[in-house]
Every structure is written in C-alpha cells, then in structure tokens.
Amino acid sequence: MPDLLNEILKLRTRERVEMLSRNGQIFHVIMAQQFLREFIDEICLLADMIREINSSRHGADFLQRLLPHRRAMIYFTQPSTRTFLSFACACQILGMRYNEVRDPKTSSEVKGESEEDAVRVFSQYFDVIIMRHPMEGFSEKTAHMINRMHRTIPVINGGSGRDQHPTQALLDIYTLYQSFSGGSLVRRAAGIQIDPFPGKVIGMVGDLQRGRTVRSLSYLLCRYPGVTIHFISPPELGIGEDILEYLREHEVEYHISQELDPLLPELDAVYMTRIQDEHDAMAGQSSRIDYSRFYLTPDKLERAKPTMAILHPLPRRQEIHVDCDADPRAKYWQQVQNGMWMRAALLAYVFNTEERIRSYYLENYTY
Ligand code: NCD
C-alpha cells in the first residue's frame, strides 16, 4: 500500500489545505498556507482580547470556565521550551487539562509500537493533539489518519522537522502587527483600522535553508501585499526554491543577499535565527561557516532605523548580543509571551469559543 504521506504530498497545496478544513473552517492546524488574511486578522484580535481579559481576576475566571471539559495531548518528540510551555500555559488559561509525552522512551514505542499507533491511541483519550516531530509531514499524516478513523480531533503542528512551524508564524505576525502599529490591536480595531504592512521591508537572517520558522513566516507574508523581504544568509544556507516560487506566485517582492550590514538601515523588521546544526548530515559541518557577519550587536544597531523591530524565535546563540536586549527595538521577549496568547486564541478557535470571548470583551471593555 502506498505510504499515506507520499500520497498527500503529491496533491496540490490547495487540495491539501481543503483536506485540513471542516465546514469551510480550518480544523487541523498544519501549515502556514492554510491561513488567509481574514483568519490571521481575526486570530490576532482574539489573542489581543484574551491577553486583555486575562489581566483581571474576573476576566481570568471567565476564560478558565471556557474549556474545562476538554483535554489536550502535547506530544513533542523534539526538544522544546517555548512552544511546549506556551501551549501548556494556553491550555491552563482556558481551563483545559493536558497530558504530555515528550520522550518516546517512556511510552509503548519502546515495546515496538509504531508512532502511528501512538497517535491513534491519543485520539481515543484526548480532544486535541498538539505535536512536534522531527519528520516533515508527520503531523499532516496524523491529521489524515484521524480523519480516516472518523474522529473529530484537531491536530496542531508545533514544528515539523525542517519544514514548518505555523503557530510560530502566527505569533511572529502578531508581534509584527504590534510593532508596526504601536500596541493593542483591539483598541485600534475600535477606531479606524489602518493596515500597517504595505511598504514594510523585512529581513530574514541566518539559516534560512533549515529554519522552519522562516519558511512558515514567508508563506504568511504572502497575505500582506506591499511587503518586501530580504533573505540574508551564507550561500550554503539559502532559502528553499519552493518558498521563492510561492512568493513569486503571490507577487511578493524579495531579494537574496549574503550581507546584513549594508541592508540594516533599510529594514523595518529583522528576523534573526540560529544555525540549525542538529540537521547537519555530518557532525560539525555547519561550524565551518563563518556566521559572525550575521550577528547583531549594539554598535550595528546604531545604523538601524529607530523603529526597527528585532525578532528571533529563540533559542539564540551569538546572533543577537545580550547587550541588545535592553534596546526598545528588541521584541523577542514579547514574542515569547505572545506565543502563549496566540496559542490560547488558536485553541479557543478550534473549539469554537471565539464568539463567547468576543461578546465578553464587548460587554466588559469599552473604549
Ligand atoms: C524554533 C524551532 O523549534 O523551530 N524555536 C521555537 O519554536 N521557538 C527555532 C529554533 O529552534 O531555532
């Protein structure tokens, strides 16, 4: 029997996206191409509402009562700090309980159970499966396996090999929104909403070949007409041709460069990443690349725009000097927290509670 994943990968992106939807709505959250502009705007507003509601005792109690009858499995077989913890905190914010499997050595996989059977088992106990896996496409395959079992359980991709990290892309765009528009989106939405993206120049820096966060964010930026992207990396670690093709199809202006310094004064946002050497075919292969010209230091920042937003999915190594942290342009700690609000918004969305949140917000917060 042909492998299910190979069958899926032969389909067009549009067909794959459709198979992940139910009743015209995103059901499994697997890849950034699923997110249309309307969805992204809505989910960012929802994240903002949750953030504000959660800041009062009354509001936090309201959120906790939304999903106490739902249980999540967080199945992460690749290392994670932020994505794991922010999903766990997001569950707690909405009153959901969660269980985790992070080390397959502690599960029946040691006894020879396949990973496929492991997720089939999870689907019998839990209402959502949030997963991170080293194999590209495994979360998509899981979504299809669950559909075939006629289970109504969404699968959320928390990182799939070198390929995608769609929930990170959502929190990144949320952070860019905040940076470009200066603060809360909800308050702005109550007044005249101006799209802050057209004309913005965004630099993606580092290991663009194997960095899944850059790949997912690039897909997402196709929903923002008028942005320009500079892909800045050593030649060995350039962005994939599949991404460039998608950008061309969506008429996004992009440039490829191997130097950060001359471009720095032009950028409205810089997205820094580390070398993903865990994917090296040979041990230490990437350590031969001189990466230092892609580092951000306080002296380099003097030549950048005073409003430039500095993002990084983290973990960082030397790409951003710690002395940059105090600079008001550094948004990476804000990104960390935004991950929690965004993932709470996503869970609220997949369990159809966004309307209750919106009504609560309108009743209790007036500007
Ligand atoms: C990223 C990841 O796992 O892809 N981290 C994260 O989720 N915040 C980036 C990385 O590991 O470099």
Side-chain angles (χ1 to χ4, degrees):
M1 197 174 96
D3 181 62
L4 176 58
L5 183 55
N6 286 331
E7 289 298 301
I8 298 164
L9 294 179
K10 276 192 219 140
L11 300 172
R12 289 165 176 278
T13 306
R14 187 168 301 168
E15 291 169 299
R16 286 166 68 191
V17 165
E18 252 165 47
M19 289 169 83
L20 299 169
S21 312
R22 286 197 191 175
N23 308 319
Q25 186 176 318
I26 294 174
F27 184 71
H28 301 290
V29 182
I30 303 295
M31 50 174 154
Q33 300 94 309
Q34 287 179 274
F35 308 140
L36 300 180
R37 178 63 183 268
E38 204 185 340
F39 170 84
I40 307 167
D41 287 353
E42 289 287 307
I43 206 85
C44 287
L45 274 179
L46 192 61
D48 237 24
M49 286 181 201
I50 293 174
R51 178 165 65 103
E52 237 172 298
I53 294 172
N54 195 67
S55 65
S56 75
R57 172 71 194 260
H58 183 268
D61 284 346
F62 159 77
L63 291 170
Q64 297 257 329
R65 285 195 304 275
L66 286 175
L67 294 170
H69 56 305
R70 299 292 194 179
R71 275 191 301 275
M73 162 48 72
I74 313 186
Y75 177 50
F76 270 37
T77 57
Q78 265 191 320
S80 172
T81 303
R82 277 150 293 269
T83 309
F84 177 83
L85 288 177
S86 59
F87 267 118
C89 291
C91 289
Q92 288 162 345
I93 289 169
L94 300 172
M96 282 175 75
R97 278 160 292 174
Y98 69 89
N99 280 74
E100 59 183 79
V101 170
R102 299 191 68 176
D103 181 358
K105 286 196 210 80
T106 63
S107 81
S108 281
E109 287 177 43
V110 189
K111 302 185 209 165
E113 183 163 62
S114 66
E115 289 175 308
E116 284 81 356
D117 273 358
V119 291
R120 287 185 183 108
V121 170
F122 301 150
S123 77
Q124 302 298 321
Y125 295 134
F126 296 96
D127 302 296
V128 56
I129 300 174
I130 303 162
M131 59 189 292
R132 168 171 285 198
H133 196 278
M135 190 175 128
E136 283 130 61
F138 191 71
S139 53
E140 191 171 355
K141 180 177 172 180
T142 302
H144 286 270
M145 282 176 354
I146 286 181
N147 285 351
R148 286 181 175 195
M149 291 170 82
H150 305 291
R151 304 287 292 145
T152 315
I153 294 166
V155 176
I156 301 182
N157 176 7
S160 46
R162 296 183 292 185
D163 188 31
Q164 286 240 15
H165 197 345
T167 66
Q168 175 77 37
L170 288 175
L171 78 90
D172 292 339
I173 212 87
Y174 179 43
T175 311
L176 286 174
Y177 250 122
Q178 288 175 332
S179 309
F180 293 159
S181 62
S184 166
L185 304 175
V186 180
R187 287 170 206 232
R188 284 174 37 76
I192 305 160
Q193 206 169 4
I194 301 161
D195 183 356
F197 279 86
K200 292 288 190 285
V201 181
I202 299 168
M204 309 268 210
V205 186
D207 187 343
L208 308 182
Q209 190 186 71
R210 305 173 296 181
R212 56 192 172 196
T213 64
V214 167
R215 292 175 52 81
S216 289
L217 183 56
S218 303
Y219 283 126
L220 220 60
L221 285 171
C222 291
R223 309 296 183 213
Y224 292 82
V227 299
T228 301
I229 310 178
H230 285 276
F231 293 107
I232 308 161
S233 73
E236 305 90 320
L237 300 177
I239 188 80
E241 186 50 42
D242 54 338
I243 298 285
L244 296 180
E245 198 183 310
Y246 196 85
L247 295 176
R248 287 193 295 270
E249 262 170 39
H250 290 81
E251 297 178 5
V252 177
E253 183 179 335
Y254 70 81
H255 304 274
I256 296 192
S257 155
Q258 290 164 19
E259 297 296 333
L260 171 62
D261 293 6
L263 283 170
L264 209 48
E266 281 180 43
L267 303 179
D268 296 294
V270 64
Y271 192 91
M272 304 293 293
T273 64
R274 70 177 173 95
I275 289 225
Q276 309 274 318
D277 46 16
E278 66 270 36
H279 299 296
D280 279 1
M282 285 177 310
Q285 176 194 342
S286 313
S287 62
R288 288 193 285 275
I289 297 172
D290 176 19
Y291 207 55
S292 57
R293 67 182 194 278
F294 303 101
Y295 290 174
L296 267 191
T297 50
D299 56 308
K300 283 195 196 176
L301 282 182
E302 278 172 28
R303 292 186 302 102
K305 288 187 184 174
T307 51
M308 182 185 77
I310 309 165
L311 278 75
H312 193 311
L314 304 178
R316 78 170 148 191
R317 291 180 184 166
Q318 293 101 332
E319 318 74 66
I320 304 182
H321 195 282
V322 283
D323 288 350
C324 298
D325 290 11
D327 193 299
R329 291 170 286 189
K331 304 293 179 197
Y332 30 95
W333 303 119
Q334 192 175 317
Q335 258 174 297
V336 172
Q337 193 183 114
N338 280 343
M340 178 173 77
W341 306 125
M342 179 50 76
R343 286 164 178 138
L346 257 187
L347 289 170
Y349 171 86
V350 297
F351 289 117
N352 290 312
T353 49
E354 73 272 33
E355 224 19 78
R356 286 180 63 193
I357 297 173
R358 218 184 312 276
S359 310
Y360 180 91
Y361 188 86
L362 291 175
E363 274 163 33
N364 293 278
Y365 298 81
T366 41
Y367 295 103

